[in-house]
Amino acid sequence: MAYFQYQNKSIFYEEYGQGKPLVFLHGNTASSKMFELLMPLYTDSFRCILIDFLGNGKSDRVEKFSPDMWHDEAMQTAALIEHLSCGKVSLIGTSGGAWAAINTALERPDLICSVIADSFDGRTLNDNFSEKLVSERKAAKADIQSRQFYEWCQGSDWETVVDLDTEALLLCAEEKRPLFHKPLTELKVPVLLMGSREDEMCRSNLEEEYREMASLLPEAAVHIFPTGGHPAVASNAEEAAKLIKDFVGRHSDEMVEHK
């Protein structure tokens, strides 16, 4: 098990495979464990790097999450990349991790080759976000499978982690915090926006939102799977892996050519 220090706390990370570095960023209430079963699809092509954001998984706990958590997680991601001294990386962030991935690229484009942003709401939180969040979290706590998922990702203190995450997200929504700290038009790296049409955890007009975002970016692609739940990287695992390998490989090759 490997850790690095960030603001006097220990952050857990794990590596699989060899090749071009690809960093996986988990979503809210999850941890790097959510990616473990997917590793055989990627390790033949990439050095896969998984992180547990502070307060999650095997990383040190926090008293509370920042309502700007996706920006804070971006700073943790940048710190990990610098700690590894692995040069530029590609990022795949899913759900909340997608916001973290884009924020990382906005803040530290010098560290990033490309970004895959999977299964998230885009530029704003969806309509009735707070009401839906409270309802979903209440239902999840009462559902045996959801409780097992939380415990698998977080350990025995999963309920505290979930409650702190809910508290921070509600504050983010209430205060209408910007989800990105810089304009999307400043994004300098290629972005693949990915999701599933059947994903009930994302906004209903996901493809429309993605295409509007793509129109603001210097280089972006959109891929919506016709079926599959949340997140697409898991529910459409094999197809998503092929798509990601192609996207990351193409833009890594372009970087080499431009040197």
Side-chain angles (χ1 to χ4, degrees), residues 94-105:
T94 190
S95 195
W99 280 300
I102 292 175
N103 272 308
T104 307

Side-chain angles (χ1 to χ4, degrees), residues 72-259:
D72 187 48
E73 290 172 353
M75 296 298 94
Q76 295 174 44
T77 303
L80 170 62
I81 298 165
E82 291 186 317
H83 169 76
L84 293 172
S85 299
C86 57
K88 287 193 172 187
V89 310
S90 293
L91 299 176
I92 172 164
T94 190
S95 195
W99 280 300
I102 292 175
N103 272 308
T104 307
L106 283 168
E107 297 292 339
R108 295 297 307 272
D110 57 307
L111 299 177
I112 310 302
C113 289
S114 60
V115 169
I116 296 92
D118 171 48
S119 303
F120 75 120
D121 273 339
R123 294 166 294 177
T124 60
L125 299 174
N126 62 50
D127 293 339
N128 305 314
F129 173 82
S130 296
E131 293 86 348
K132 287 174 66 176
L133 178 69
V134 171
S135 175
E136 285 172 0
R137 294 283 167 90
K138 183 178 179 181
K141 282 186 179 184
D143 178 72
I144 292 176
Q145 285 189 324
S146 296
R147 291 167 65 92
Q148 288 175 338
F149 174 78
Y150 287 146
E151 186 166 6
W152 180 60
C153 285
Q154 307 294 0
S156 59
D157 64 342
W158 66 266
E159 193 162 6
T160 299
V161 176
V162 171
D163 287 346
L164 289 176
D165 184 84
T166 302
E167 181 183 302
L169 289 177
L170 290 175
L171 187 58
C172 176
E174 179 186 339
E175 297 180 351
K176 293 181 168 53
R177 301 250 179 159
L179 306 184
F180 306 115
H181 279 213
K182 292 183 178 179
L184 281 175
T185 50
E186 293 185 14
L187 202 59
K188 295 180 172 64
V189 305
V191 179
L192 170 62
L193 300 167
M194 190 171 76
S196 299
R197 192 163 285 118
E198 293 180 345
D199 187 346
E200 294 182 354
M201 294 185 71
C202 289
R203 63 169 72 232
S204 58
N205 63 333
L206 185 64
E207 184 168 4
E208 179 185 349
E209 171 64 13
Y210 277 5
R211 296 207 179 279
E212 288 182 11
M213 285 181 70
S215 71
L216 301 173
L217 301 174
E219 189 169 358
V222 174
H223 188 92
I224 303 293
F225 296 99
T227 60
H230 187 84
V233 70
S235 66
N236 289 279
E238 292 188 3
E239 289 178 79
K242 290 176 184 176
L243 193 68
I244 290 164
K245 285 180 180 180
D246 178 67
F247 186 80
V248 172
R250 184 157 23 96
H251 292 293
S252 295
D253 292 341
E254 286 174 3
M255 282 195 59
V256 171
E257 289 173 9
H258 292 160
K259 281 187 178 180

Side-chain angles (χ1 to χ4, degrees), residues 5-9 54 72:
Q5 292 297 303
Y6 177 81
Q7 296 184 350
N8 298 317
K9 288 188 178 293
L54 276 180
D72 187 48

